[in-house]
């Protein structure tokens, strides 16, 4: 078990280092040697987990989907918005998301990654929209599959232009404006009035998730202390 945990940590370390390299140099400019140097591991360790540079890049593209955690909401359309806003908040701060976007959209490698990350984002968005439809949150003309495709494409275009024009400094604002324009054509009026489409929405959701993780960790620590304390008392009394 300890060996397996070390392997998982090493793989994650390699992915993080590789993401910073691909984000900085692109696919063609990135080298395994630079990944080795940044990860502080051996070349053999990299090839143990990833057989080639292409496989390493594919791992980064797939890793994006572990970085889009959002809380479950009573309003599914708020989840739909939160998904896009959380990614907009994290992308300038998270090399894995940033590199994944670059690898997915780079013309030199676009054909190698089965459409890049877009199919996964479309599928995730469609699932949330379908749940929203079952709850009566969508206007009658909304087709979840079509809307998911359209919004993913629009979000991607906003991200590209933000990267080119401001280095993503205005990405959250641009994505918020996108949702402010699109949601009236998707949500029923009663739901639309409740949606939080603020520019800082992504940051607030990320902070909420971090607080929840800290609370869970604190509860786990307290539970461990209580168990340890009971064990110590029992040993003393025996």
């Amino acid at each position: 078990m300890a060996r397996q945990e070390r392997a998982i940590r090493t793989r994650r370390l390699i992915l993080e280092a590789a993401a910073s390299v691909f984000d900085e140099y692109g696919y063609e400019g990135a080298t395994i040697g630079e990944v080795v140097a940044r990860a502080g591991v051996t070349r053999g360790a990299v090839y143990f987990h990833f057989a080639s540079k292409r496989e390493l890049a594919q791992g980064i593209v797939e890793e994006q989907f572990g970085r889009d955690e959002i809380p479950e909401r009573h309003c599914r359309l708020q989840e739909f918005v939160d998904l896009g806003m959380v990614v907009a908040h994290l992308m300038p701060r998270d090399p894995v998301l940033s590199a994944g976007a670059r690898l997915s959209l780079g013309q030199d490698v676009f054909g190698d990654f089965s459409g890049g990350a877009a199919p996964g984002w479309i599928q995730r968005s469609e699932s949330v929209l379908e749940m929203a439809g079952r709850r009566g949150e969508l206007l009658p003309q909304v087709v979840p599959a079509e809307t998911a495709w359209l919004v993913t494409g629009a979000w991607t275009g906003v991200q590209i232009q933000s990267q080119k024009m401001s280095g993503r400094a205005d990405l959250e604002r641009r994505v918020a404006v996108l949702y402010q324009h699109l949601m009236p054509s998707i949500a029923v009026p009663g739901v639309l009035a409740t949606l939080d489409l603020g520019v800082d929405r992504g940051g607030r959701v990320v902070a909420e998730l971090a607080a929840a993780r800290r609370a869970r960790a604190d509860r786990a620590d307290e539970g461990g202390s209580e168990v340890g304390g009971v064990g110590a008392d029992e040993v003393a009394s025996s």
Side-chain angles (χ1 to χ4, degrees), residues 27-148:
Y27 182 80
E28 293 299 333
T31 65
I32 296 295
E34 184 64 25
V35 174
V36 167
R38 294 197 189 187
V41 299
T42 65
R43 188 176 292 264
V46 173
Y47 283 117
F48 175 81
H49 291 279
F50 303 97
S52 64
K53 184 170 81 168
R54 183 187 182 283
E55 189 173 306
L56 183 54
Q58 183 68 51
I60 292 169
V61 171
E62 294 171 355
E63 182 73 9
Q64 294 178 90
F65 301 106
R67 313 232 168 193
D68 60 349
E69 180 186 3
I70 54 172
E72 184 174 326
R73 309 289 185 191
H74 176 71
C75 176
R76 296 301 184 179
L77 280 185
Q78 186 65 65
E79 288 184 32
F80 179 70
V81 171
D82 288 352
L83 178 61
M85 292 304 299
V86 163
V87 176
H89 176 77
L90 292 176
M91 187 167 283
R93 300 166 171 85
D94 187 334
V96 170
L97 282 171
S98 183
R102 178 166 185 171
L103 290 167
S104 296
L105 299 170
Q107 293 300 312
D108 53 341
V109 295
F110 185 82
D112 288 343
F113 297 116
S114 303
W121 295 123
I122 292 170
Q123 184 178 29
R124 175 80 183 274
S125 298
E126 182 180 348
S127 176
V128 176
L129 286 170
E130 286 175 345
M131 289 188 287
R134 289 194 291 270
R135 291 182 177 229
E137 299 175 10
L138 301 180
L139 292 168
Q141 74 272 16
V142 175
V143 179
E146 298 294 341
T147 301

Side-chain angles (χ1 to χ4, degrees), residues 85 89 172 176 196-205:
M85 292 304 299
H89 176 77
E172 289 181 86
D196 183 343
L197 305 175
V199 173
D200 63 340
R201 176 66 184 177
R204 286 187 280 116
V205 174

